[in-house]
Amino acid sequence: MKVAAYYGPGLFKVEERPLPEIGDGEMLVKVIAVGICGTDVHKAVHQTVKAGTVLGHEVAGIVERVGKDVTKFKVRDRVALAHHAPCMTCHQCLKNHHSLCDQYLKNNIFPGGFSQYVKVLPEHVRGTIYPITNDSTTFEEAAFMEPLACCVRGFHALDFQEGDTVLIIGAGPIGLQHLMLACAFNAGKVVITDLNPDRLRVAKTLGADLALNPQAKDFQAILQSVGLADGFDHVIVTVGVGALYEQGVSLAGKGGNVLVFAETPKGQKMTIEPNSIYSKELRIVGSYSSSPKHLQEALELIESGRIPVKTLISDRVPLEQVGEGIERSHKATDCLKIMVIPNQ
Ligand SMILES: [Zn+2]
Ligand SMILES: [Zn+2]
């Protein structure tokens, strides 16, 4: 089978690897669509993984083989899957911090999503792989289950109520998924910021009340003109830059929540005056990755059409163009979600 393996920033090679053997309780899944994620970009650009690693984890495909004892799935089932499975029984899992479970990062799909086939382990079969039940849901749409689940989990970490105002910093694929969730969950005014005018245009079509360049001279004046001068109920920061987290905190209103949603490069800092948290009773909440419950909710939102993820797909590329796709996703000038189609 072919994989696209990582060998350094901008350097991916398509290699032939043996088809994984599967054991009891495991499955082999043929990858039909796999999204390029911001975390793949982060790993590739900041070299946080070893040479030869196969990245990619937003996978949808067809069950090709099932091991002994697998009863939940059969060959030819259409499925969406996520790469890390929590144990569901430890202290962190019982407190709903599934992504902090000791087991969470110890298991992964093999060799990685940018591959024609992946092996999934019994713990994935148990909790992070779900059948695509709506025949009209495409594999490309279902591949959004994992990233949308992360957004759903983040959203539920806010004490959100219908009618609340929301600011989303960053209109990339993740920011736009948060925007769609805010609209689907009946937020009040929703504002999104980005430097890229194309992304702001997409945000308007997806329901943003305002899509603004945060560096525009009249940024504050515009917020004031729509009654948002005192800040937002919720600020969701989807860009891993310390200064944007500072901006997020400054734009949170009284009793506001700030969702820390994007990984920052190592050593990146933010400076906040504690009194701004104290006097406005702000909550600063982190949300990393997803959980089985949120994967299911995300897939339901996709299959019911409530979250039209298809609008975020800008490109479909073969394994040979994974490196280029990651580069383009990093520059963020001419694309949104790039889907890799490994078996074309
Ligand atoms: Zn992802
Ligand atoms: Zn656990």
Side-chain angles (χ1 to χ4, degrees):
M1 68 175 186
K2 283 196 299 181
V3 306
Y6 167 81
Y7 284 96
L11 186 60
F12 281 79
K13 287 184 203 160
V14 173
E15 297 177 342
E16 196 59 35
R17 299 255 180 108
L19 205 61
E21 298 277 338
I22 58 159
D24 294 354
E26 299 176 345
M27 300 200 300
L28 188 70
V29 176
K30 182 176 185 178
V31 180
I32 306 298
V34 47
I36 292 180
C37 172
T39 61
D40 296 319
V41 175
H42 184 93
K43 286 171 187 155
V45 170
H46 297 286
Q47 303 180 58
T48 64
V49 290
K50 283 195 275 209
T53 298
V54 178
L55 295 168
H57 56 267
E58 301 175 356
V59 175
I62 303 170
V63 176
E64 178 85 7
R65 286 183 199 164
V66 296
K68 213 175 113 215
D69 305 332
V70 174
T71 52
K72 267 173 85 177
F73 297 96
K74 57 185 189 314
V75 172
R76 284 195 292 281
D77 277 353
R78 303 165 77 233
V79 293
L81 58 101
H83 52 321
H84 296 311
C87 78
M88 305 303 286
T89 56
C90 74
H91 179 63
Q92 296 298 349
C93 283
L94 294 177
K95 289 202 306 177
N96 289 320
H97 290 296
H98 297 93
S99 58
L100 306 181
C101 169
D102 276 347
Q103 295 306 309
Y104 197 70
L105 294 177
K106 288 186 184 151
N107 57 67
N108 207 332
I109 55 172
F110 178 81
F114 299 142
S115 170
Q116 290 186 308
Y117 293 87
V118 291
K119 176 171 96 165
V120 300
L121 301 170
E123 43 270 56
H124 297 116
V125 175
R126 197 174 57 232
T128 67
I129 172 162
Y130 293 97
I132 305 166
T133 49
N134 184 342
D135 289 343
S136 58
T137 301
T138 65
F139 290 105
E140 293 174 4
E141 290 167 321
F144 278 90
M145 177 185 75
E146 194 273 340
L148 184 63
C150 298
C151 297
V152 168
R153 184 169 181 274
F155 219 94
H156 289 326
L158 306 168
D159 61 357
F160 176 83
Q161 294 181 347
E162 287 193 8
D164 282 356
T165 57
V166 180
L167 169 68
I168 298 157
I169 296 182
I174 285 290
L176 293 173
Q177 285 172 81
H178 276 295
L179 167 65
M180 291 193 279
L181 286 173
C183 295
F185 295 159
N186 299 321
K189 286 206 175 72
V190 184
V191 178
I192 190 162
T193 62
D194 203 288
L195 297 177
N196 179 334
D198 293 332
R199 291 184 165 190
L200 293 178
R201 263 192 293 278
V202 176
K204 282 296 278 183
T205 67
L206 290 174
D209 292 293
L210 289 172
L212 302 172
N213 180 332
Q215 294 177 353
K217 280 201 196 77
D218 54 353
F219 179 69
Q220 277 300 343
I222 294 172
L223 292 184
Q224 197 155 10
S225 71
V226 293
L228 290 166
D230 292 336
F232 293 80
D233 294 318
H234 308 281
V235 180
I236 300 173
V237 185
T238 71
V239 187
V241 175
L244 292 179
Y245 282 110
E246 290 172 6
Q247 188 193 34
V249 172
S250 73
L251 290 170
K254 284 179 183 166
N257 292 257
V258 179
L259 184 66
V260 177
F261 199 78
E263 190 169 7
T264 51
K266 217 173 169 210
Q268 182 111 195
K269 300 269 196 317
M270 66 172 172
T271 307
I272 303 171
E273 198 180 333
N275 202 46
S276 68
I277 301 173
Y278 172 74
S279 60
K280 286 202 275 183
E281 296 197 344
L282 301 185
R283 286 172 73 232
I284 298 178
V285 194
S287 184
Y288 157 64
S289 201
S290 66
S291 76
K293 181 175 81 181
H294 297 111
L295 291 168
Q296 288 172 76
E297 184 177 346
L299 192 55
E300 276 165 29
L301 286 165
I302 293 167
E303 295 202 86
S304 66
R306 282 184 75 200
I307 302 293
V309 287
K310 190 166 68 182
T311 42
L312 302 183
I313 302 171
S314 61
D315 298 79
R316 292 162 180 87
V317 303
L319 285 177
E320 287 74 10
Q321 288 171 29
V322 164
E324 201 184 311
I326 286 190
E327 201 70 6
R328 286 177 58 209
S329 300
H330 181 51
K331 288 204 187 100
T333 49
D334 68 344
C335 62
L336 278 170
K337 179 62 95 182
I338 298 180
M339 276 292 158
V340 180
I341 313 295
N343 281 286
Q344 63 182 10

